[in-house]
């Protein structure tokens, strides 16, 4: 999590958040790290407005901290702050990420035929609840082009077959360009390991909670027939191991014997919308830190 490798590309600024910065730090846990970082903020004239921290184990564990701070003239003084952080990082053996809250991350959304998750993301961006820019929508089907066009977002139809998968992924990467985050919003294709490697900890997927018990094309029918009582969804970072990446957010809704297959699908759509939108929101606000096979989420 070095600053040089993980700084997001500058996007449109949000003046409401001008001069607000975010600092995420991870290091071996030992006394004094909070005092040192707080002292650094005081030395440069920054006012800490939010602070959250977590220790995996107070003896020999890993310490993670997220700070939000206000620093007048942050953009102009960022280089000074980065220099001070780099010096401290050597002394305290920490990795760090510094971002400016006013910059909106550029997001590419991959979809297939269902629109509920895409619609939720577009709505939250438009309403100002999700501070990001949907830079492109990519789909292996043409069905959702009207949805993207209505939102003023470029739509790219990239058909995928088993024989053309590699070429399709290369074309999609060319079309989305330099984005900060890729979201698989019910994109019914398994992306390759090479595709995953291009977006480490920056590729988010959503799937229903019936895996691995109910697989196949009609999991809601199978779940209904078995009398399932909970419907849920999981949003996670994508890794080469299918549906096994670090989990960001999950939610469930209860159903009973009165729920039809259609009812269960409707409830499932609702839960998926909420879970993925929340995961993306936390990600773009620098609230999610990957810790091995799991995540720390400073919600």
């Amino acid at each position: 999590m070095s600053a040089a490798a993980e700084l997001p590309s500058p996007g449109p600024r949000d003046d409401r958040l001008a001069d607000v910065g975010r600092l995420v730090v991870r290091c071996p846990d030992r006394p004094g790290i909070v005092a040192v970082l707080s002292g650094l903020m005081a030395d440069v004239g920054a006012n800490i407005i939010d602070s959250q921290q977590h220790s995996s184990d107070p003896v020999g564990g890993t310490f993670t901290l997220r700070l939000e701070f206000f620093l007048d003239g942050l953009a102009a003084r960022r280089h000074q702050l980065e220099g001070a952080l780099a010096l401290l990082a050597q002394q305290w053996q920490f990795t760090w990420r510094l971002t400016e809250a006013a910059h909106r991350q550029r997001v590419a959304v991959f979809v297939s035929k269902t629109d509920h998750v895409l619609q939720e993301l577009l709505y939250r961006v438009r309403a100002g609840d999700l501070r990001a820019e949907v830079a492109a929508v990519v789909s292996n089907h043409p069905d959702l082009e009207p949805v993207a066009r209505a939102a003023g977002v470029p739509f790219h139809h990239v058909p995928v077959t088993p024989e053309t998968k590699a070429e399709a992924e290369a074309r999609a990467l060319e079309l989305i360009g330099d984005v900060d985050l890729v979201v698989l919003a019910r994109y019914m294709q398994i992306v390759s390991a090479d595709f995953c490697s291009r977006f480490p900890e920056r590729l988010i997927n959503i799937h229903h909670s019936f895996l691995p018990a109910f697989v196949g094309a009609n999991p809601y029918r199978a779940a209904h027939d078995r009398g399932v009582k909970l419907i849920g969804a999981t949003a996670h970072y994508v890794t080469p191991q299918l549906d096994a990446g670090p989990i960001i957010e999950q939610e469930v809704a209860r159903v009973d014997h009165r729920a039809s297959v259609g009812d269960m699908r409707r409830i499932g759509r609702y839960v998926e919308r909420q879970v993925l939108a929340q995961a993306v929101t936390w990600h773009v606000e620098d609230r999610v830190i990957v810790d091995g096979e799991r995540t720390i989420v400073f919600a």
Side-chain angles (χ1 to χ4, degrees):
M1 190 169 56
S2 64
E6 296 199 21
L7 294 178
S9 58
R13 288 185 63 87
D14 187 336
D15 291 336
R16 295 171 298 172
L17 297 174
D19 298 324
V20 174
R22 300 181 184 128
L23 174 64
V24 177
V25 169
R26 293 195 72 213
C27 65
D29 198 358
R30 56 171 165 157
I33 183 64
V34 174
V36 165
L37 291 170
S38 300
L40 170 62
M41 290 294 159
D43 289 343
V44 299
N47 183 28
I48 296 173
I49 55 180
D50 185 65
S51 178
Q52 294 174 284
Q53 61 195 60
H54 171 73
S55 175
S56 63
D57 188 329
V59 180
T62 299
F63 178 81
T64 306
L65 176 138
R66 178 188 184 271
L67 287 179
E68 279 198 3
F69 61 91
F70 176 85
L71 178 60
D72 190 34
L74 173 60
R77 302 177 64 185
R78 177 169 178 157
H79 182 71
Q80 172 194 1
L81 184 55
E82 289 176 338
L85 283 166
L87 290 175
L88 276 182
Q90 293 179 3
Q91 179 182 354
W92 287 81
Q93 298 179 317
F94 64 70
T95 57
W96 56 280
R97 178 171 72 239
L98 178 67
T99 62
E100 294 177 45
H103 290 301
R104 293 175 180 259
Q105 291 194 27
R106 288 169 48 82
V107 180
V109 183
F110 281 57
V111 296
S112 287
K113 290 185 176 183
T114 56
D115 70 338
H116 58 286
V117 184
L118 172 62
Q119 294 273 24
E120 184 71 22
L121 294 173
L122 293 173
Y123 170 77
R124 293 199 184 199
V125 169
R126 185 169 65 250
D129 299 331
L130 172 56
R131 291 188 174 98
E133 174 196 356
V134 180
V137 174
V138 179
S139 180
N140 56 326
H141 298 281
D143 303 55
L144 301 188
E145 181 172 6
V147 175
R149 297 298 184 192
V153 177
F155 180 89
H156 306 292
H157 177 213
V158 182
V160 181
T161 67
E163 296 75 25
T164 64
K165 188 176 186 67
E167 293 83 354
E169 285 191 348
R171 176 59 176 158
L173 288 168
E174 178 184 349
L175 289 168
I176 64 177
D178 185 20
V179 295
D180 300 288
L181 176 67
V182 173
V183 178
L184 306 182
R186 292 306 305 273
Y187 182 60
M188 307 307 289
Q189 294 288 323
I190 299 174
V191 297
S192 69
D194 178 67
F195 191 96
C196 293
S197 70
R198 294 172 182 267
F199 302 98
E201 300 172 16
R202 296 186 296 125
L203 179 59
I204 298 177
N205 184 40
I206 183 75
H207 64 71
H208 57 71
S209 63
F210 299 140
L211 297 174
F214 305 115
V215 298
N218 200 349
Y220 283 95
R221 166 58 69 182
H224 175 272
D225 293 346
R226 286 287 302 277
V228 161
K229 299 300 187 289
L230 291 174
I231 294 174
T234 296
H236 63 93
Y237 288 116
V238 180
T239 62
Q241 187 177 359
L242 182 62
D243 292 330
I247 293 170
I248 305 170
E249 173 65 333
Q250 294 176 299
E251 186 57 88
V252 296
R254 181 166 289 279
V255 295
D256 61 24
H257 59 276
R258 294 169 294 184
S260 67
V261 175
D263 292 333
M264 294 175 71
R265 287 198 181 100
R266 173 178 52 80
I267 294 168
R269 288 195 297 268
Y270 177 82
V271 176
E272 287 174 358
R273 287 164 48 198
Q274 302 305 310
V275 168
L276 184 59
Q278 185 65 80
V280 172
T281 299
W282 283 338
H283 176 93
V284 302
E285 293 180 354
D286 299 295
R287 296 183 181 276
V288 187
I289 298 93
V290 174
D291 181 24
E293 295 184 348
R294 66 190 193 116
T295 61
I296 296 167
V297 180
F298 290 125

